[in-house]
Amino acid sequence: MSLVNFTAREITCKIVYYGPGRSGKTTNLQYIYGRVPESRRGRMVSLATQTDRTLFFDFLPLELGSISGFSTRFQLYTVPGQSYYNATRKLVLQGADGVVFVADSQARRFDDNLESLQNLQDNLLAQGVDVRQLPAVFQYNKQDLPSDLILTQSEMDDALNFRSVQSFEADALHGHGVFETLRGLSELVLKRLAAGTAVA
Amino acid sequence: MSKVTAGLDRVTRVPGVRGALIANSADGLVVAEQLMDGVDGRAVAALAGSLIARLARTAHSAGLRPPVFVHLRGDEGSILAAPGADGLVLLAVVGREANVGLARLEMLAAAGRLA
Amino acid sequence: MRALEPWVEAPLQSFLAESSARLTLLMTSSGQVVAQHGFGRSLDIMTAAALGAGIVASTEELARLMGGSRFEALMHQGSRQSCMLSAFSTPRGRWIALVVFGPETSVGIVRLFFDAMVQQLATAAPREPVRPTPLLAEDFEHELDASLKALLGR
């Protein structure tokens, strides 16, 4: 849940990048880390295995600047995508203000996307979070791959986006769609905050 | 450990002693204790352990040997401390009416066996 | 020392004075910072909180797996400084403390006064949390857009 400090006029929001293994969650954070001036970001923490697969989480704190007079900070987390790390995913998901679901657009990863999305819903339900109320967006990553290997945005929407939330095409490796995704979710999270539903 | 327990036994048998414990002065944690109800061994270990460690450092800085016995006297009673080997310290909580002299003798004997 | 809500300040101040801790961070169980002392950059505080909350959450899971109750505290002993992580209940939910201390104090002292702080926090917490009406101006999207553009250089 967002923390709002009315005295110091600060807002801190927790955003979680969710999705199947190797869909590009860490790549999103790495791209953001690489683009943001040092003064506006903290250290990017990656608790990864020796082969660079996320083991616990990646974490990147960002200083967004002033919004409506509130100094606004985002904490970006990724979860480990591999199915056997579910205990860890649950922990990272705790208290999330919004979720970016990073799906792999490759046709052969179709089932992995579905399984991960189902897992997200199960974990949110287990934490008593109303999935319909939680700000969420989809990012369909790897759209730069040859068209015969991937599904289009509308095909991905049909397969995953039952709630018709915002979705974004992306090529996270080169940054395409990364900004738009973060912007889309940030807006939803802050809108919810503006409505006064997530004040600590 | 039986030697340690025996030492605590002898100290707590002295009239007026409300409890005895062995603490590690470096971390202020209780190693063994025999306490009457109402005596907070954890607090005694933490505070007296810290004091003994500081006293030892102060003595060392002044070129003196570390203290062999410390008597902290308060309105309602005292805390007695006898440092032993390996950073261990034997502590006793005594009431105002306690036989401090006898307690001191028992503690020095028991502290000599601490290791 | 900074605290999100004023009632946290006195218990934390008293703990800092009594325990001689170098750094102290109080956070929610999801890693949101509630109060801190001794840290410099706010971004580093968030990182420490995220890692601290992660460690506590995973050890609690570990305890559950082993069929035991939660660990009371987790100590990391270092040669120059040590660190204590402990989760505790408050009227505002479960919080976590991360305390870093050096040889000028001891584990026993830190734990002793930490427990005292937990009790003081329980007493000091207002019965009803203050929920001022927020918050953001209606046109915050423009500011958000400008902030993100400035942030990502686009």
Side-chain angles (χ1 to χ4, degrees), chain B residues 17-42:
Chain B
V17 172
R18 299 181 57 208
L21 62 150
I22 295 161
N24 186 324
S25 60
D27 57 23
L29 297 177
V30 177
V31 176
E33 63 182 14
Q34 279 186 20
L35 303 167
M36 282 187 189
D37 283 350
V39 178
D40 186 349
R42 216 168 56 114

Side-chain angles (χ1 to χ4, degrees), chain A residues 40-58:
Chain A
R40 305 284 290 276
R41 59 160 161 82
R43 210 168 296 168
M44 180 165 165
V45 174
S46 282
L47 303 180
T49 63
Q50 281 185 336
T51 52
D52 280 343
R53 305 296 304 275
T54 304
L55 174 66
F56 201 151
F57 57 70
D58 304 305

Side-chain angles (χ1 to χ4, degrees), chain B residues 7 10 14-15 22-23 58 60 71 75-76 91 97 103:
Chain B
R10 292 192 61 144
V14 174
I22 295 161
T58 309
H60 179 74
H71 182 172
D75 286 344
E76 299 296 319
L91 298 159
E97 74 291 355

